Amino acid sequence: MEAEPTQHHDGKRRASQVSRRSVSQSLSAANREAVEGSVNEISLHAVEPVDVQVRNVSVSVDTSPSALASFAQKCVKRKRPPLESPIRTILSDVSSDMPSGSLTAIIGGSGSGKTSMLNVMSNRMRGGGLKISGRASFNGREGLLGIQSAYVMQQDVLIPTLTVRETLLYSANLRLPPPTTADERRKIVDQVILELGLKECAETRIGNNVHKGCSGGEKRRTSIGVQMLANPSVLFLDEPTTGLDATSAFQLVRTLKTLVGKGRTIVTTIHQPRSEIWGLFDRLVLLTRGSSVYSGKAEDCLPYFQEIGHPLPPFVNPAEFVIDVAAIDTRTPELEEASMARVEGLKSAWAENSSRFLPEDEKPTSSLPPPTAGGLATLAASNSALGRQVRVLTARTFKVTYRDPMGTAGSLVEAIGMALVTGWIFFALDGSLSGIRSRQGALYVAAALQGYLILLYEIYRLTIDIELFDRERGEGVVGVTAFLISRRLARLPMEDVPVPLIFSIIFYFMAGFRPDAIQFFTFFGISLLSQYIAVTFAMTCIAVSRNFAGATLVANMGYTLQSLACGYFVQTSTIPVYVRWLKWTAYVFYAFGALCANEFTGHVYDCPSQDGENDPACKEYTGAFIMDSLAFPQDWLVIPICACLAFAVAFYVGSGVLLRFWKVEMSISKARPAETDDSAGKESMNVQSNRQELRRFDIGLDKYSLEIDKRNLLRKRTTTLSILKPVTANFPSGELNVIMGPSGSGKTSLLNSMARRLHNSASTSYRSSGRLLYNGATPSASVIRSVTCYVCQDDDALLPSLTVRETLRFAAGLRLPAHMSRAEKAQRAERVLFKMGLKDCADNLIGSELVKGISGGEKRRVTIAVQILTDPRVLLLDEPTSGLDAFTASSIVDVLRGLADEGRTLILTIHQSRSDLFKHFGNVLLLARGGYPVYSGKGPDMLPHFAGLGYDCPRTTNPADFALDLITVDLQHEKREAASREKVRSLIEGWNSKPFTLAEGAEISTPAELGGMKRKMTPFRIAYPILVHRGIINIRRQPDLIVGRIMQVVGLGIVLALFFAPLKNGYESVQSRLGFVQEITALYFVGMLQNIAVYPKEKDVFYREHDDRAYSVEAFFLQYTTNEIPFEILSGLIFAVLGDLAAGLPRTAELFFLMAFNAFCIVSCGESVGIMFGTLFQHTGFAVNVTSVFLSVATLMAGVMSLDIPSFLQAMNHLSPLKYVVGNLAPYSLRDQTFTCTDTQRMPDGNCPITTGVQVLDLYNLNTNPRLNVLALGIVAVVYRIVAYLLLKARRTHWNFGRKSTVA
């Protein structure tokens, strides 16, 4: 559609146009006025001026392979090409002056060392193998000690359930202590919200990938606001404008410029500053591959480059110019050679001229007057008082807790479910001998198993919550003591008291314990202490290891020691003397002993003799005999209760010490060169396909709109939110089609909807109306997924333990057609690698939060590269240039233009566009906040359309920036807000009043024709071996995960051997032998924990790749099983050595392999159950709790802890693998045993209570055919895995088995 300028000639209309044009032409002047007018808008106190001086900073890291990797290479005789040098230089002799009251920008290409320089200055660069030289001084003193500073990282660590205003208000309460009053803090928060343009989302929750909240740009601005509230003297920002639209980015830097006016020193890295932002910088540092080529005043930069032979061309953004000049282009050998020569010249020129800009004998001085004494106050020099921290953190944690209904429900469901099921298992226990045995099992459940489930769940939650604590503690705003105290105070009314109370009320009376008030409240008190011990022990585990696998390894080993030393499974007097002392260090020993004393002391049960307790035959029915058989003293109540309280305090104090002194550091990834270099001679090859074979698709939107329906627990609709108003637009093939708009305009939601990537949940459903057309026809969702590739904003589909080259090669193997050979796929991967400028980081690991790998911009390019490998017909890209420097962004757009020129359909959202890219835009869809269309048509026609409405774009202004400025409501000032809101409203009305029709496609396709274009998934025979190979590499490079997987099982075997070896044949050994068999069932939990440590992350990657139709559910599931089985076999054999040979069971080959088979099957079933519940529930924490209850019930019904299970549960128990484990191990290990007893243990007739293993089996109803139980165990293990597969298959097909998707 072409918009013609308005031709009215009446005086009023022309006067209006002249007025509007004069406004747009004086944009720069208005910006300057805005900056000047906004000084002192944020009412923060004055700060101490800090002059920053960086001198000769160099950073290098040893990238040679680890000793373990080198040894492994030698073992397999695999030779790898040697690296040029194992020492990788990150920064080389960088110097800079940053006086107080200045805004310094560090610019350069991706991987140039910008973030590393910022980290060195802020003292955040730590890790093994690092070597740092030079100095960064603040007011002449090295280091930030005594300097109030803040750091805005690239990753946003925000609480998803808080609103933007709440996030900032809690931050202000922590960062702005008295003398700042509460009213002043609220006022400052309101001002920050206005300055950062967060007014319209102030009451919106942050949200996450499960629950939609703020947009990426709004989260970015919120993170910056959090740090601004710290009122720092020095503020570091790492890529603060990444993810922001051009207007928001300009407003943000304008705010930073305002802040430096109060004496602050602000240092920021930035990728793509628009031309107006360049004028706001006071000083610049330009880096290329770790070396500086300019460092000085911003106003001297362009004259310096002109002096050395690089003048700025007319109408070019200065920032884009200097970044381009300093960039190395690795796309072809010719470009690389030329750019290398140019950069070397820049380095040499700077080495000769740096002394002019950075005099060694002078210190930078501030031109600002010193602040007043009242302004300095002491607020910036110290943390908030402990009491204030506790109050603020308690209020915040309480709000977060009740706003996470699934998390809170997880705790309550666990308490209610565990109490009901276990109460049912132990329902109305009688006073017989079997009833007494079952009472002991019930008390053990209350003392140990219930606490263990709380322990696991709290560890999972802490793995998430600890990240925010680590960041806030690193910023100096939260102390360890305040964090620990507030966490328990906040959860006291919602979890810490209700969970044990609910469990006690249900379980105590269902089991039929003594119906006395004193006994009940004692039971509840001990359960409450067990709850606190569990959560405090969880904190200790997290303090030792921040990841779930490591923390649960510590927890499992600790719990196993606790359960064995408590006296239930193995009588404490029979524990080997070298570990017997451990019972005094086991909190379960005290809790179990206290519960036993509370239940048994002074009580006599139902002896069948008429003489009652006076009959010697009734001795076994007396509480004194029961306590003596458990080796507990008679009056064992007050002391163990005090001991439990001491354990809770000790664990919390211990965790506090560990959190205080055990530093969490990021490791640096090692280089992993490929065995072959397929890139040789391929550098100049283009990523092209045969144009004759390429089918074109013209995509159209016909009054397409999108809404979200919010539903309550009863599935009733409560709220409907409109994301996108009806849009009609054309996206023809062969052009770069661009969607632009400010944050919150619905760009990402529109792309997700077009790619059919919006998935409904129990509480949220998406509803679209209108038509999405491909060549004039409406395709099915499966067709859209077949012909469309989608590059999303997040880079979470990349495996952190793979290198860039490996990532692309595996992606090529999984996505490219089956008829291509392996060599052809590898060559395609190499060509794309070069096209995307990834040559220099090809052999570096992707990395993660804990392992430093490639930069954020490089990850962005890898994500794009994975998608363009397949030469897609339709390519949707969400912010493909976000996080990239100006040069790399231009290179990426060049690649995308090449794809479009081949006839493909490309649609991309873009936030910050280079000035020279707009001319390459084909069709443009412009959306205002709220999803309102403002323009849709040819890119060249956009400016004439706005000119016709009275808004001319100045010749020197980037058209993309102009359009975004035009349609963005200025929320920073009330007067400008009203005017800009009215302007945007008139623009929306001006567009909607124009007629618009869909363009006819190049060719009309019928639905049948579209259906015939479905892209086939990679066949199983090809995908499976590739996935196995990729999985092996991913696991091999995570030694912590390998150790955790093996040591969970081996550690349990070691502990069992220590406590039970050698198994004897006294009367007490009956309890020990049965306890030994029962303890083996703990492997069920081990399998589940191993799954939780691995499966959620692998599932997320699989979901993303399955959405891309890369491979099938069957290939992923079988690959996961294949890579898991070797660990289960190895750990099962080691467990058999410890469990059979070391513990003292009959040393036969049959029993050895039987033990190994049982261990393998139990762990496998635990993994399967983890897959089932991890697939069913998106909330991993809730899945952990439900799974734990499921496994606990199976453990209780295994056949040892409860002897009289209700008939319904007995029937259900046939589905449990643990029934068959106990059913085969007990007969094999007990049937040939004979037992002796002491004189005091003999019955009145002189016989021992139990003399043969057969009697034990009869007592516990375990005298069955063990071979059938072994067969049944194997069948159950296979069935569990099949059920897990079916659930995953159902989830990925949206529960439509055997039916084709009809969602359009």
Side-chain angles (χ1 to χ4, degrees):
M1 170 183 161
E2 186 174 348
E4 296 293 339
T6 307
Q7 300 295 328
H8 296 291
H9 299 286
D10 58 280
K12 185 176 179 180
R13 176 68 171 172
R14 292 174 61 186
S16 174
Q17 290 183 359
V18 170
S19 174
R20 289 176 177 175
R21 289 191 176 104
S22 63
V23 170
S24 59
Q25 289 172 350
S26 58
L27 182 63
S28 298
N31 289 339
R32 287 194 298 272
E33 292 174 6
V35 172
E36 295 168 0
S38 61
V39 173
N40 297 322
E41 283 293 327
I42 300 180
S43 306
L44 294 171
H45 292 282
V47 297
E48 177 186 4
V50 175
D51 296 325
V52 182
Q53 190 178 72
V54 179
R55 284 295 179 269
N56 309 114
V57 168
S58 296
V59 179
S60 61
V61 61
D62 185 359
T63 59
S64 57
S66 64
L68 181 62
S70 300
F71 177 74
Q73 291 175 18
K74 292 178 181 178
C75 291
V76 298
K77 298 181 180 180
R78 180 181 294 174
K79 293 183 179 180
R80 292 192 181 272
L83 293 173
E84 295 179 2
S85 171
I87 305 301
R88 175 186 167 196
T89 300
I90 300 176
L91 291 175
S92 177
D93 199 28
V94 176
S95 299
S96 181
D97 289 335
M98 305 167 189
S100 61
S102 66
L103 173 59
T104 301
I106 304 174
I107 59 178
S110 296
S112 61
K114 303 186 297 298
T115 299
S116 297
M117 181 178 177
L118 209 63
N119 286 336
V120 170
M121 294 173 61
S122 59
N123 197 29
R124 290 171 179 259
M125 197 76 169
R126 296 187 296 270
L130 275 177
K131 182 180 179 181
I132 302 176
S133 60
R135 63 184 177 87
S137 61
F138 300 83
N139 283 345
R141 300 188 303 272
E142 288 196 33
L144 285 166
L145 186 63
I147 303 295
Q148 184 74 4
S149 65
Y151 189 105
V152 179
M153 301 179 69
Q154 286 191 36
Q155 296 82 20
D156 299 316
V157 180
L158 302 169
I159 301 176
T161 52
L162 293 180
T163 66
V164 170
R165 186 182 301 280
E166 290 167 345
T167 299
L168 294 174
L169 191 57
Y170 284 125
S171 177
N173 290 335
L174 287 171
R175 290 168 165 81
L176 298 175
T180 310
T181 65
D183 288 338
E184 288 175 334
R185 285 192 289 272
R186 280 192 291 270
K187 180 180 177 182
I188 292 171
V189 167
D190 290 339
Q191 292 168 348
V192 167
I193 287 174
L194 288 176
E195 276 294 324
L196 296 177
L198 294 168
K199 179 179 177 181
E200 293 192 347
C201 65
E203 308 307 327
T204 303
R205 294 187 186 182
I206 299 296
N208 54 22
N209 58 342
V210 177
H211 301 286
K212 177 68 176 174
C214 293
S215 68
E218 291 164 344
K219 291 178 182 177
R220 187 90 277 252
R221 282 176 277 161
T222 303
S223 295
I224 295 168
V226 166
Q227 298 303 329
M228 286 172 56
L229 290 169
N231 195 30
S233 294
V234 182
L235 177 60
F236 302 100
L237 302 100
D238 192 11
E239 305 295 349
T241 61
T242 294
L244 303 185
D245 61 82
T247 302
S248 299
F250 173 62
Q251 292 175 345
L252 170 63
V253 179
R254 190 171 60 186
T255 299
L256 297 179
K257 184 67 173 178
T258 300
L259 292 175
V260 301
K262 293 186 177 182
R264 293 173 183 81
T265 305
I266 297 181
V267 186
T268 179
T269 64
I270 193 165
H271 267 153
Q272 300 183 59
R274 56 189 280 183
S275 54
E276 291 87 351
I277 290 178
W278 172 271
L280 299 178
F281 295 142
D282 297 305
R283 304 186 72 85
L284 287 173
V285 178
L286 178 59
L287 298 177
T288 177
R289 291 197 173 181
S291 299
S292 57
V293 292
Y294 180 79
S295 179
K297 293 182 179 179
E299 61 189 27
D300 296 335
C301 179
L302 296 179
Y304 167 73
F305 274 91
Q306 182 169 1
E307 178 185 328
I308 62 175
H310 297 283
L312 173 70
F315 306 114
V316 174
N317 183 341
E320 296 170 2
F321 165 72
V322 295
I323 292 174
D324 288 350
V325 168
I328 296 177
D329 193 340
T330 61
R331 289 176 293 176
T332 67
E334 296 78 14
L335 289 174
E336 182 175 7
E337 183 179 356
S339 58
M340 283 287 290
R342 182 180 66 246
V343 169
E344 289 301 321
L346 294 177
K347 291 181 181 178
S348 300
W350 180 246
E352 297 174 2
N353 294 284
S354 60
S355 58
R356 292 166 40 196
F357 299 89
L358 299 169
E360 292 291 340
D361 298 329
E362 299 179 16
K363 291 183 178 180
T365 57
S366 173
S367 60
L368 297 176
T372 62
L376 282 176
T378 56
L379 72 144
S382 62
N383 293 335
S384 302
L386 176 62
R388 167 173 289 277
Q389 289 185 40
V390 171
R391 288 196 300 273
V392 175
L393 291 176
T394 301
R396 186 176 74 179
T397 307
F398 182 80
K399 183 168 289 186
V400 169
T401 302
Y402 80 73
R403 282 189 180 167
D404 181 18
M406 290 295 287
T408 304
S411 296
L412 298 178
V413 165
E414 183 277 324
I416 297 172
M418 191 69 180
L420 287 174
V421 178
T422 54
W424 192 7
I425 293 173
F426 297 104
F427 184 71
L429 296 173
D430 58 26
S432 64
L433 288 178
S434 62
I436 293 172
R437 293 268 182 162
S438 294
R439 283 176 191 270
Q440 295 174 15
L443 294 174
Y444 172 80
V445 169
L449 197 54
Q450 168 66 10
Y452 177 62
L453 304 190
I454 298 297
L455 170 66
L456 295 182
Y457 183 47
E458 183 69 5
I459 285 177
Y460 168 76
R461 291 198 298 189
L462 280 169
T463 57
I464 299 173
D465 298 343
I466 201 69
E467 186 178 1
L468 179 61
F469 162 74
D470 284 336
R471 176 167 293 192
E472 290 184 331
R473 180 170 176 267
E475 295 163 355
V477 298
V478 170
V480 173
T481 304
F483 170 68
L484 296 178
I485 294 175
S486 64
R487 188 171 180 86
R488 298 278 55 90
L489 286 178
R491 295 209 158 103
L492 179 71
M494 299 188 66
E495 291 183 10
D496 289 356
V497 172
V499 167
L501 180 61
I502 291 172
F503 176 80
S504 298
I505 291 174
I506 298 174
F507 183 62
Y508 190 89
F509 294 106
M510 284 188 70
F513 293 125
R514 296 168 64 177
D516 297 325
I518 295 177
Q519 268 70 33
F520 169 75
F521 284 109
T522 302
F523 181 94
F524 165 66
I526 297 169
S527 298
L528 180 63
L529 287 175
S530 297
Q531 166 91 9
Y532 274 107
I533 290 172
V535 295
T536 54
F537 184 34
M539 185 67 74
T540 304
C541 296
I542 285 294
V544 173
S545 175
R546 294 294 198 269
N547 63 78
F548 186 80
T552 52
L553 175 61
V554 175
N556 257 352
M557 294 303 98
Y559 174 75
T560 304
L561 288 171
Q562 300 288 326
S563 62
L564 292 177
C566 76
Y568 174 67
F569 292 109
V570 53
Q571 220 246 29
T572 54
S573 61
T574 65
I575 298 175
V577 66
Y578 49 84
V579 290
R580 191 176 302 170
W581 59 273
L582 285 173
K583 71 178 182 180
W584 305 110
T585 66
Y587 61 83
V588 177
F589 169 73
Y590 297 100
F592 181 59
L595 288 176
C596 287
N598 184 58
E599 173 63 22
F600 297 127
T601 300
H603 196 68
V604 179
Y605 291 92
D606 302 337
C607 177
S609 174
Q610 295 181 353
D611 295 334
E613 60 181 303
N614 296 323
D615 190 337
C618 293
K619 182 168 64 172
E620 290 183 280
Y621 294 86
T622 63
F625 180 87
I626 298 170
M627 292 294 289
D628 183 63
S629 68
L630 294 171
F632 289 126
Q634 293 300 318
D635 299 323
W636 189 242
L637 188 61
V638 177
I639 292 177
I641 289 177
C642 294
C644 288
L645 180 61
F647 268 102
V649 175
F651 278 136
Y652 232 32
V653 172
S655 64
V657 172
L658 289 173
L659 289 173
R660 174 69 178 83
F661 296 105
W662 195 319
K663 300 295 184 182
V664 178
E665 296 184 353
M666 174 178 284
S667 60
I668 307 295
S669 67
K670 307 295 183 182
R672 301 181 184 275
E675 299 175 40
T676 59
D677 185 8
D678 292 338
S679 62
K682 310 291 192 306
E683 293 88 343
S684 61
M685 300 177 74
N686 293 322
V687 183
Q688 288 186 340
S689 61
N690 190 336
R691 296 192 183 192
Q692 299 302 321
E693 298 177 359
L694 191 65
R695 179 68 178 271
R696 290 173 174 261
F697 287 99
D698 293 334
I699 299 177
L701 299 177
D702 183 16
K703 298 179 181 178
Y704 194 82
S705 63
L706 187 64
E707 295 178 333
I708 293 181
D709 290 334
K710 296 286 187 179
R711 302 180 185 276
N712 57 21
L713 294 177
L714 301 177
R715 301 288 296 164
K716 184 178 180 181
R717 185 188 304 171
T718 57
T719 309
T720 298
L721 303 176
S722 177
I723 299 178
L724 189 70
K725 300 300 186 291
V727 172
T728 299
N730 293 314
F731 300 115
S733 59
E735 298 180 3
L736 279 184
N737 300 286
V738 177
I739 303 174
M740 294 194 302
S743 297
S745 59
K747 304 185 298 297
T748 298
S749 297
L750 174 57
L751 274 192
N752 282 327
S753 181
M754 293 176 65
R756 296 299 186 249
R757 300 295 176 95
L758 292 175
H759 302 300
N760 298 331
S761 65
S763 60
T764 303
S765 60
Y766 295 91
R767 186 156 44 89
S768 63
S769 59
R771 294 188 300 163
L772 171 62
L773 304 174
Y774 276 51
N775 287 346
T778 301
S780 67
S782 59
V783 170
I784 291 175
R785 295 190 186 102
S786 294
V787 301
T788 304
C789 283
Y790 181 45
V791 179
C792 58
Q793 281 192 45
D794 301 322
D795 302 317
D796 52 5
L798 303 176
L799 291 172
S801 298
L802 297 182
T803 66
V804 172
R805 177 173 275 116
E806 289 168 345
T807 299
L808 292 180
R809 286 186 179 180
F810 283 124
L814 292 170
R815 296 165 184 264
L816 292 178
H819 63 78
M820 294 180 67
S821 68
R822 180 181 300 179
E824 290 174 330
K825 293 179 179 180
Q827 290 176 5
R828 173 75 65 85
E830 290 296 326
R831 292 200 298 267
V832 172
L833 184 144
F834 268 85
K835 269 290 186 182
M836 302 302 292
L838 294 167
K839 175 187 174 184
D840 290 337
C841 63
D843 296 318
N844 293 343
L845 294 185
I846 299 295
S848 63
E849 295 86 356
L850 298 177
V851 178
K852 174 69 172 133
I854 60 177
S855 69
E858 289 164 341
K859 286 183 181 178
R860 189 92 276 258
R861 282 180 277 162
V862 174
T863 301
I864 298 172
V866 167
Q867 295 297 334
I868 68 174
L869 272 170
T870 57
D871 287 340
R873 293 184 176 94
V874 178
L875 182 60
L876 308 182
L877 304 101
D878 192 13
E879 305 295 348
T881 61
S882 181
L884 303 182
D885 61 272
F887 172 77
T888 307
S890 177
S891 301
I892 296 301
V893 173
D894 285 343
V895 174
L896 298 180
R897 286 173 52 207
L899 293 173
D901 288 342
E902 295 171 10
R904 307 176 199 285
T905 306
L906 271 73
I907 306 174
L908 59 147
T909 64
I910 196 164
H911 265 154
Q912 301 177 47
S913 169
R914 285 178 57 125
S915 56
D916 56 352
L917 295 184
F918 183 79
K919 61 186 178 184
H920 300 300
F921 291 174
N923 273 25
V924 174
L925 172 61
L926 202 57
L927 298 174
R929 184 178 177 86
Y932 292 93
V934 179
Y935 175 79
S936 178
K938 296 291 184 181
D941 296 339
M942 184 182 73
L943 296 183
H945 165 73
F946 288 126
L949 296 176
Y951 300 97
D952 283 331
C953 176
R955 289 188 64 240
T956 58
T957 298
N958 182 343
D961 295 344
F962 167 78
L964 286 172
D965 290 343
L966 200 60
I967 65 171
T968 301
V969 177
D970 190 340
L971 301 174
Q972 293 181 308
H973 302 276
E974 291 187 9
K975 293 182 179 178
R976 293 209 294 265
E977 178 186 352
S980 60
R981 197 176 292 278
E982 176 60 27
K983 175 189 64 180
V984 173
R985 186 190 63 79
S986 65
L987 290 172
I988 295 171
E989 293 177 350
W991 175 251
N992 290 336
S993 63
K994 292 180 176 293
F996 185 87
T997 57
L998 281 171
E1000 291 188 4
E1003 51 185 327
I1004 303 299
S1005 300
T1006 66
E1009 289 176 322
L1010 292 176
M1013 296 179 186
K1014 288 185 181 180
R1015 186 177 75 240
K1016 294 182 179 180
M1017 287 184 175
T1018 301
F1020 175 86
R1021 60 181 174 80
I1022 296 176
Y1024 170 70
I1026 295 175
L1027 289 171
V1028 170
H1029 185 199
R1030 186 177 74 173
I1032 290 173
I1033 294 176
N1034 189 47
I1035 294 174
R1036 189 182 68 206
R1037 292 182 184 160
Q1038 300 180 72
D1040 293 343
L1041 187 62
I1042 295 175
V1043 172
R1045 268 184 171 270
I1046 296 177
M1047 288 308 298
Q1048 291 268 17
V1049 179
V1050 174
L1052 178 62
I1054 291 173
V1055 173
L1056 291 181
L1058 286 175
F1059 274 86
F1060 287 97
L1063 289 168
K1064 300 179 181 179
N1065 290 78
Y1067 176 67
E1068 300 86 354
S1069 296
V1070 174
Q1071 177 183 347
S1072 298
R1073 287 181 178 271
L1074 286 170
F1076 178 76
V1077 173
Q1078 177 67 36
E1079 276 295 305
I1080 293 174
T1081 62
L1083 291 171
Y1084 211 7
F1085 283 93
V1086 170
M1088 181 266 288
L1089 295 176
Q1090 291 182 358
N1091 174 266
I1092 293 172
V1094 177
Y1095 180 70
K1097 295 179 181 178
E1098 293 204 6
K1099 179 189 71 173
D1100 291 342
V1101 173
F1102 163 64
Y1103 278 12
R1104 186 68 58 83
E1105 293 179 331
H1106 189 257
D1107 283 338
D1108 293 337
R1109 296 186 60 81
Y1111 51 89
S1112 63
V1113 175
E1114 292 76 14
F1116 165 75
F1117 192 84
L1118 193 56
Q1119 165 267 324
Y1120 182 88
T1121 302
T1122 302
N1123 287 339
E1124 159 207 331
I1125 285 178
F1127 290 100
E1128 295 173 355
I1129 293 176
L1130 176 62
S1131 56
L1133 290 172
I1134 299 175
F1135 183 83
V1137 172
L1138 297 167
D1140 178 29
L1141 304 182
L1145 291 177
R1147 292 181 173 88
T1148 64
E1150 182 182 31
L1151 195 54
F1152 173 83
F1153 287 108
L1154 181 71
M1155 182 70 73
F1157 179 74
N1158 276 277
F1160 170 82
C1161 288
I1162 302 173
V1163 173
S1164 177
C1165 288
E1167 286 257 15
S1168 298
V1169 172
I1171 295 173
M1172 293 179 202
F1173 288 102
T1175 301
L1176 284 173
F1177 302 108
Q1178 287 184 317
H1179 195 292
T1180 307
F1182 187 82
V1184 169
N1185 253 350
V1186 175
T1187 308
S1188 298
V1189 172
F1190 181 88
L1191 301 186
S1192 299
V1193 172
T1195 301
L1196 294 177
M1197 298 193 303
V1200 175
M1201 298 179 68
S1202 178
L1203 306 184
D1204 189 17
I1205 303 175
S1207 57
F1208 175 78
L1209 292 179
Q1210 285 184 10
M1212 295 297 296
N1213 198 30
H1214 285 85
L1215 302 175
S1216 170
L1218 301 188
K1219 168 183 170 58
Y1220 304 108
V1221 170
V1222 174
N1224 73 72
L1225 279 179
Y1228 272 117
S1229 60
L1230 283 169
R1231 186 163 287 170
D1232 298 329
Q1233 300 296 316
T1234 58
F1235 297 97
T1236 61
C1237 62
T1238 63
D1239 292 338
T1240 58
Q1241 294 170 336
R1242 293 183 183 277
M1243 303 298 291
D1245 58 4
N1247 294 322
C1248 293
I1250 293 176
T1251 58
T1252 66
V1254 174
Q1255 288 179 284
V1256 178
L1257 295 175
D1258 289 336
L1259 176 63
Y1260 283 85
N1261 299 319
L1262 295 174
N1263 196 2
T1264 57
N1265 186 338
R1267 293 182 182 274
L1268 287 179
N1269 286 322
V1270 172
L1271 177 62
L1273 175 62
I1275 293 174
V1276 168
V1278 173
V1279 169
Y1280 269 42
R1281 193 51 60 102
I1282 292 174
V1283 171
Y1285 156 72
L1286 292 175
L1287 284 174
L1288 181 62
K1289 180 75 172 179
R1291 185 78 176 185
R1292 292 311 297 161
T1293 55
H1294 306 292
W1295 312 97
N1296 293 324
F1297 275 120
R1299 290 183 294 170
K1300 295 182 179 180
S1301 175
T1302 58
V1303 180

